[in-house]
Each structure stands twice: as structure tokens, then as C-alpha cells.
Amino acid sequence: MTARVLIVDDMLANLKLLEARLVAEYFTVQTASSGADALEICRQDLPDVILLDVMMPGMDGFEVCQRLKSDFRTQHIPIVMVTALDHPSDLLKALESGADDFLTKPVDDLALITRVRNLARLKLLTDEMLMRASTEQQMGYPAMLGEDVAITGCDGRVLMVEDREGAATRIVEALQSDNDVVHMVDPAHALLVAPSGDFDLLIVSLNLQNADGLRLCSQLRSLDRTRHLPIMMIVEPGEEARLHRGLDMGVNDYVMRPVNPSELLARVRTQVKRKRYTDYLRSRLEQTVEMAVLDPLTALHNRRYLSSHLETLFEESAERGRPLSVLLIDVDHFKVINDTHGHDAGDDVLRELALRLRRNIRGIDLACRLGGEEFVVVMPDTGLESAYLVGERLRQCIAAAPFIAGAQNKAVNVTASMGVAALEYEEDTPELILKRADQALYCAKRDGRNRVVGDAA
């Protein structure tokens, strides 16, 4: 994939070298020779990835990174710190300043392209989620934008596959102070455990003695449960061709032997943090989807969902010649409940009614809140007579026991009126069935409420 990359370095030779390497891989490149210039470019045109030199006069890379990460508009831009410093404290300082990754000079071409591509993919995901978040705000959903989400790369749960005892011991010692490390020798066992182990990262040796590490990576990438699990490979010098294959199949990162413990720990923290962040974004997306189709008060599906799903159920029933019924439910004298006991009590009544609905219908039935005190239940494979019996059971369940509602936990007697209609004629449509159910509901209310009336059309 391509992306817009900003290179920040006060040395012209370094700028030109990195620019040439990235342009050769079809990245769009901008350059800045100082921290101040970089901040100005980011304010005007947000890049997808920033390569940021640490040692610069005036404002060093650590300060630039901190400023970018503290600004809401630029805090989601991935930053790679490029440094000649290799002391453990320097690597940790880069991460603590907000950097997403780091490269040590002289920069290896494969490492450069790998880091930039991986971070560009992350930025693409982040941009999409932020766009969705902006839409959520416009639609009145709780905002994700600007949230202070405390996500760290510490205390990760790491699965390591290494069949050489000495190498495994050194890796565990490097990571165990900051992570829960599960070491396995057999890749087949790891393949069974990984989907259910709630791991943040898989570390696998590319040159296992008795198995193919790439095979394990490809198998995990093909499983739904582990498709998004970050994978880090440990690679011997000279294995660049196999490393390329691993990166092509979706491996996220790698370290070369002999493994530098500080670099390994820093890269593990980065992958764990990134995984938790993407999990958070994915969770927010799932919540947004739920909010779009669920009624927030009762957790039943809403009118929007009914409109689309009823059409599908109707078409399936009509094509197969199977019955389909609709039950409309309206709480009797709901305004009196609100006026007498308060709107909080009214909300409690609606929530409890939704619970009683769920307990008395099948899993294949669709229960929705249309709005206010009106509900609908769509029942596939159910004729008018059976639907009437379901309605009568629901009516009795609602009327049988008082509803506990309001701050005072008062017992409120509640009844409901119901109208039933079914798919009966060739010219029927979902709208016509709902209209007939509504007419039957009107008859139930007209005839005294607390009753079920079947469509007689």
C-alpha cells in the first residue's frame, strides 16, 4: 500500500537517503529540516506516517513527538523515531514520548519499509474509525472523539513458540518482568491454544528445528479468532527471503538474532498497545452498530431495524409459502402512569415489559419497540390462530403481576392491548400486515382494553 510520509531530519544527506528509499516503494514523501517545520506541515496537511529524527538542534525529536501526540488533530499520526542511540533508556524514552515505533541508524531498508507499511495500515484503520466517530456525534451518539483512553502496552499476554531451550529462556527472561509469557515448543499445540487464550501477541521463531514457523503464522491468519492477533517473528540473519514471505502473509513485526532484550521488550510493548487500541476501536464500532438498531431504553430492536428485517422475513415466508404473523402491543393508559408516578416510573414499566416479552416469545421471533409505549413482535412460521394464543399469553403475563417502578419502588398495575394480523393474501405487503394489526389494536382499545383482537379482514 502507499501513504504520505513526512521525514524530519536536520541532516540533508539523511533526508535524501530516506526519501529515495521510500519513493522507490511508491510512497509520497514530504521533508522537514527542523521540529518547528514539521509541526507547521502537520498543522496544514496531515501525513499518514512521520519518520522523526531524535537528535536535532533547538527542538529534539522527543519534544516534537510529545507536541504532536498532545494535539488532538495530530495525536493519531503514527510516529517512527529514527535514532543512532541504542541504549535501553533511549528506546524507552522514545516510546514514553508517544512514538509508535523506532528505527536505529544505519536504517535497514527492509525494516524501514516494513515499519512504514504497518503503521500506514494502522493509520488507515484509525482514520476510518475517527470518521465513523464524527458521524456518530452528528447523529447524537456518545462521542469517541477526544476521549482520553488509557491504553498501555504493559502486562501483555504473550504466546511464544520456540523449540530451542536456550533461546526460549533468554526471551522469557527479557519479557517476563512486563508480560505474562506462555512458552510452547509444539506449533500444533499453539494452534489449538491461541484462539481461546486471549493473547495480545504471538512470538514465533522463523527457524524452528522441527516445524515451519511460517506455516503456523499462515494458519493463525486464516482463523477468525486469531485473524487480528499481532504476530512477531524472530529471524536469523540471511533469512530475508522467508521474512518477506512472512510479512506478505500479515506478520506485524520482527527482530533479528542475536535478540537485543531492550529492543524486544520495546517492540512487544508497541504491538500489545496497538492491539489493544484496535480492539478498542473495533469494540466501539460494534457498539455503534448496536446503537443503530437497538432501542436504548429497552434494548429491543428499534423501528429502523424492523423496517429492514421485516421485509426479509416477509419475502422468505412468501417465497416458501410459510405463515408469518405480526403482534402489535400498546400499554393501556400509559400517560396516566407517567402523570401519576413520574416519567422514571414509566421508563421502568417499559423496561420490565420488554423483559416479559423476551421471556414469552421464541428465539426466532423479532421483538421491537416502535416508539413510546408501542411494541411489535414478528413471528415467522406462525399462523393467525397461534399468534393470537401468543398474544393472549403475553397479555396475561403483563397483567398478572404488578410492575415495580420509580424511585419509591411502587407496585404499578399494568395492562396492554394487542392486535394480531398475518400474511394471508398474494397482494399482502409488510405495510399492509402492519396496518391490519394496527386496526385490530384499535378495536382492542375501543372494546375496553386489556384484550387481544385478531385481524378479521
Side-chain angles (χ1 to χ4, degrees):
M1 65 174 299
T2 187
R4 292 173 295 120
V5 183
L6 172 62
I7 306 172
V8 188
D9 198 312
D10 63 314
M11 299 292 292
L12 182 61
N14 291 340
L15 281 178
K16 293 300 182 183
L17 181 60
L18 291 175
E19 181 180 15
R21 290 174 175 176
L22 291 172
V23 168
E25 295 293 329
Y26 301 100
F27 290 99
T28 301
V29 178
Q30 291 178 286
T31 61
S33 57
S34 69
D37 289 344
L39 293 176
E40 182 60 30
I41 290 174
C42 289
R43 277 192 287 267
Q44 295 179 4
D45 183 21
L46 300 177
D48 296 310
V49 180
I50 300 173
L51 295 179
L52 181 58
D53 186 40
V54 171
M55 303 301 293
M56 294 186 295
M59 186 188 305
D60 64 19
F62 296 129
E63 183 178 350
V64 175
C65 185
Q66 289 171 345
R67 291 195 182 191
L68 289 171
K69 291 298 183 179
S70 63
D71 186 333
F72 172 69
R73 292 188 67 251
T74 57
Q75 66 181 357
H76 298 292
I77 301 174
I79 297 176
V80 182
M81 302 292 280
V82 184
T83 177
L85 306 173
D86 59 1
H87 192 276
S89 62
D90 297 317
L91 300 180
L92 292 178
K93 185 177 180 181
L95 295 177
E96 289 170 355
S97 66
D100 298 272
D101 211 330
F102 57 88
L103 292 167
T104 53
K105 296 179 181 179
V107 176
D108 175 76
D109 284 357
L110 178 59
L112 171 67
I113 302 305
T114 300
R115 312 303 184 214
V116 171
R117 280 181 176 161
N118 283 341
L119 290 173
R121 291 190 187 100
L122 178 65
K123 177 63 162 48
L124 186 65
L125 171 65
T126 305
D127 285 347
E128 181 180 350
M129 296 306 302
L130 291 176
M131 180 181 66
R132 291 177 183 271
S134 178
T135 303
E136 291 172 27
Q137 279 187 280
Q138 295 171 13
M139 295 175 63
Y141 295 134
M144 180 173 71
L145 295 171
E147 284 187 354
D148 183 16
V149 183
I151 297 176
T152 72
C154 299
D155 300 319
R157 182 165 167 78
V158 179
L159 174 61
M160 181 185 67
V161 182
E162 171 62 85
D163 57 8
R164 293 185 293 181
E165 184 177 351
T169 299
R170 288 189 292 273
I171 293 172
V172 171
E173 289 176 350
L175 297 179
Q176 64 184 0
S177 63
D178 205 28
N179 301 275
D180 174 18
V181 183
V182 177
H183 172 220
M184 293 186 179
V185 174
D186 183 8
H189 189 200
L191 185 62
L192 293 174
V193 172
S196 57
D198 194 26
F199 292 102
D200 295 307
L201 175 67
L202 168 71
I203 299 177
V204 58
S205 174
L206 187 59
N207 58 324
L208 295 169
Q209 293 178 326
N210 302 310
D212 184 355
L214 282 180
R215 177 70 61 188
L216 174 62
C217 295
S218 68
Q219 289 171 326
L220 289 172
R221 276 290 172 263
S222 67
L223 298 175
D224 289 338
R225 295 284 298 277
T226 54
R227 184 160 292 148
H228 302 291
L229 175 67
I231 300 176
M232 179 183 295
M233 293 192 302
I234 301 176
V235 185
E236 294 279 0
E239 290 188 313
E240 282 76 9
R242 297 190 72 218
L243 172 58
H244 273 291
R245 293 184 64 184
L247 294 171
D248 287 341
M249 71 175 59
V251 169
N252 301 82
D253 203 352
Y254 70 93
V255 290
M256 300 293 293
R257 297 188 198 270
V259 175
N260 181 315
S262 299
E263 179 183 358
L264 176 64
L265 181 60
R267 293 202 176 280
V268 167
R269 284 182 177 176
T270 298
Q271 290 300 324
V272 170
K273 182 177 180 179
R274 194 174 300 161
K275 194 256 185 183
R276 290 172 175 171
Y277 182 59
T278 54
D279 284 350
Y280 165 76
L281 294 179
R282 196 170 291 112
S283 173
R284 283 304 305 256
L285 174 58
E286 292 172 356
Q287 292 174 20
T288 302
V289 171
E290 288 185 355
M291 291 171 67
V293 299
L294 294 183
D295 171 56
L297 179 64
T298 64
L300 297 178
H301 285 98
N302 59 18
R303 182 187 290 268
R304 179 184 300 161
Y305 184 82
L306 174 69
S307 299
S308 60
H309 199 59
L310 177 58
E311 185 76 32
T312 302
L313 293 175
F314 177 85
E315 290 176 359
E316 290 178 353
S317 297
E319 289 174 2
R320 298 175 182 177
R322 304 291 296 175
L324 174 77
S325 295
V326 171
L327 176 68
L328 276 182
I329 305 166
D330 190 273
V331 180
D332 295 330
H333 303 297
F334 187 69
K335 184 177 185 301
V336 175
I337 295 174
N338 276 334
D339 292 343
T340 304
H341 304 285
H343 289 278
D344 289 344
D347 289 347
D348 289 340
V349 166
L350 296 178
R351 279 190 285 263
E352 175 61 23
L353 190 142
L355 289 174
R356 297 189 189 189
L357 278 183
R358 287 196 193 94
R359 295 183 188 131
N360 286 274
I361 62 175
R362 303 167 301 175
I364 64 170
D365 296 333
L366 172 64
C368 303
R369 183 187 178 199
L370 288 181
E373 66 273 22
E374 195 169 23
F375 298 80
V376 63
V377 179
V378 182
M379 294 171 279
D381 293 326
T382 306
L384 186 64
E385 291 185 6
S386 297
Y388 180 89
L389 295 176
V390 173
E392 185 59 31
R393 184 173 69 242
L394 286 171
R395 185 196 66 77
Q396 293 176 11
C397 174
I398 292 168
F403 287 50
I404 306 303
Q408 305 299 322
N409 291 326
K410 293 182 179 179
V412 181
N413 292 316
V414 178
T415 63
S417 301
M418 307 183 190
V420 187
L423 169 60
E424 295 181 297
Y425 310 106
E426 289 186 3
E427 63 272 17
D428 270 346
T429 65
E431 293 75 20
L432 284 174
I433 296 174
L434 283 171
K435 182 177 181 180
R436 294 206 302 269
D438 188 59
Q439 290 171 344
L441 173 62
Y442 173 79
C443 292
K445 287 191 167 293
R446 182 197 61 192
D447 295 342
R449 295 183 170 84
N450 189 25
R451 63 189 63 218
V452 182
V453 172
D455 169 42

